[in-house]
Amino acid sequence: MSDAWRPRTQMIHGGLERSPFGESSEALFLTSGFAYARAEDAEARFSDRDPGYMYSRVGNPTVRSFERRMALLEGAEDAAATATGMAAVTAALMSHLRAGDRVVSARLLFGSCHWVVSELLPRFGIEVELVDGSDLEAWARALAKPAKLVFFETPGNPTLELVDIEAVAELAHEAGAKVVIDNVFATPLLQKPLELGADVVVYSATKHIDGQGRCLGGVILSDAQTRKDIVHPFLKNTGPALSPFNAWVLSKGLETLPLRVKAHGEGASRVAHFLEAHPAVRRVLWPGLASHPQAQLAQRQMQGGGSLLAFRVEGGKTGAFAVMNALRLINLSNNLGDARSLATHPATTTHSKVPEAERQALGITDDLIRLSVGLEDPEDLLEDLDQALQGSCRVLAAPAATTPVAAA
Ligand SMILES: *Cc1c(COP(=O)(O)O)cnc(C)c1O
């Protein structure tokens, strides 16, 4: 095994620990506990003299193998896996914080992350300040006072707005804060937050890492000491452990992640350019497009635009729903990073709990559709989108009298 291997090689060979049977594909250790030959062996493990396994809430070989592979991919010293992405976000934040601490976070966040930051943390006496993530002056103002943690995602869900990782990390470190980044949209292949100054990176492994819509998982990447002294004690005692079965599925997902991310990106590029030229589309937001409001930043900190894009159509919510309901190939689902393309209407689903005024300020308008571009042949996606957009134009153009009216 070599640390110098490139990601594609690393994702197939890295982190593998063969059992005495010499299996070629990794074994699945679906066990809750581990047996000791003698009472003294158990004593040694509990006293940390013997690093072996004790109980799968604390550690499991299949989970550890997934963690090692993730650390290799991210270029992190170590990783800690969790049952879901939200468990990873919550643990990464809570394990670092105590009453009286101050957190500065971007406002544009995945719905549940927004809840954890704005509702959960303040319950424990943690002061939280939300800022416009794309505004460096807002970050500078908020970080003029000391803080313990800075948290954000980039690109952000669902408008694909970016945060300048390098610049914010510098401000955060001056304020004494560690930087925690949710890197789900970019994946470990397209953006390297640790190289840009982040201290901790979190993923929902449910998304591109599984990549086939099968299971939930999460992972927290950091330096080895942070994992050992801060993150792992929190995880092992509070219990959001990743199932060994899911860890096995996710390790299998990593074997093809570099190839899939490349294909997702090529598909998304085709779809983004197609939509941008389509007369029925008002606006396309994809970090790989020259028209993205932060295209230069995208070029600087990302190695590709990724698989997620958002677009605005004519006719507000009616128009957006008409397009979505006319889709034949693309599924309606709020998941993302799946092999199948998925369309969602953020204003009425993932972000429906965000207050209306805040939604407008964040650009989550009623005419906005988010698309997670899958691995289908892009030609089929373009045909499906084209027929759906044309169909919606006919619906919008139809005289009001022909639309069915519900009986009073
Ligand atoms: C999905 C997602 C999460 C939460 O992950 P789960 O695995 O669903 O718990 C967090 N952040 C982002 C950006 C996500 O897309």
Side-chain angles (χ1 to χ4, degrees), residues 83-89 109-113 151 153 155-157 182-185 202-207 215-218 334-336 370:
T84 66
M86 281 323 301
V89 169
L109 293 173
F110 180 76
S112 293
C113 296
F151 177 62
E153 60 186 50
N157 182 15
D182 179 339
N183 202 36
V184 167
F185 271 37
V202 293
Y203 289 99
S204 165
T206 315
K207 311 297 167 55
C215 66
L216 304 180
N334 44 281
N335 195 15
L336 60 94
R370 187 191 77 189

Side-chain angles (χ1 to χ4, degrees), residues 308-379:
L308 274 301
L309 59 89
F311 62 103
R312 295 175 59 193
V313 295
E314 302 293 343
K317 178 180 165 183
T318 310
F321 275 28
V323 172
M324 291 176 71
N325 290 336
L327 291 169
R328 294 178 189 144
L329 167 62
I330 297 171
N331 290 178
L332 306 189
S333 172
N334 44 281
N335 195 15
L336 60 94
D338 196 325
R340 62 217 84 243
S341 293
L342 305 171
T344 191
H345 186 249
T348 53
T349 60
T350 54
H351 291 72
S352 58
K353 302 287 188 299
V354 178
E356 166 76 20
E358 175 118 338
R359 257 206 319 273
Q360 293 302 326
L362 291 170
I364 308 170
T365 46
D366 284 348
D367 60 1
L368 187 82
I369 298 172
R370 187 191 77 189
L371 192 60
S372 172
V373 178
L375 300 176
E376 300 95 340
D377 189 314
E379 295 305 325

Side-chain angles (χ1 to χ4, degrees), residues 289-300:
L289 284 177
S291 61
H292 188 281
Q294 298 156 292
Q296 281 188 334
L297 176 59
Q299 286 252 322
R300 209 162 66 229

